[in-house]
């Protein structure tokens, strides 16, 4: 399953790269791609893991970029 998110409030490419790397390490995540210019985060994972991965992703984004928010596209 592929799920796309918008990460609003993202301030720099370094933070985008850190988010992509951290989300990609979540157990069950098959791939993560964070595009700084479009603020789009795309995650691929099994459907049964997506809710948990989404929740963990939101925590990761807030830890790396406290003022950012994650919204499903």
């Amino acid at each position: 399953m592929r799920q796309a998110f918008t990460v609003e409030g993202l301030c720099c490419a370094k933070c985008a790269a850190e988010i992509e790397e951290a989300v990609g390490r979540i157990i069950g995540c098959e791939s993560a791609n964070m595009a700084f210019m479009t603020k789009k985060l795309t995650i691929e994972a099994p459907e049964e893991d997506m809710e948990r991965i989404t929740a963990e992703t939101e925590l990761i984004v807030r830890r790396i970029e406290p003022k950012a928010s994650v919204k499903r596209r």
Side-chain angles (χ1 to χ4, degrees):
M1 172 181 196
R2 181 179 293 185
Q3 180 68 53
F5 303 89
T6 300
V7 181
E8 296 179 359
L10 192 60
C11 72
C12 68
K14 180 180 182 281
C15 291
E18 288 179 15
I19 290 168
E20 179 180 275
E21 183 180 336
V23 172
R25 288 193 312 255
I26 296 173
I27 294 172
C29 181
E30 295 168 353
S31 70
N33 184 309
M34 178 74 231
F36 173 66
M37 294 301 290
T38 62
K39 312 296 189 229
K40 181 179 177 183
L41 171 62
T42 305
I43 298 172
E44 288 192 46
E47 188 172 350
E48 62 270 10
D49 293 333
M50 191 56 79
E51 197 64 36
R52 175 185 54 79
I53 291 170
T54 298
E56 289 184 43
T57 296
E58 291 172 352
L59 294 173
I60 288 167
V61 169
R62 282 193 217 112
R63 180 176 45 85
I64 292 171
E65 187 67 67
K67 295 181 182 181
S69 63
V70 179
K71 296 186 180 182
R72 288 182 191 218
R73 286 185 152 202

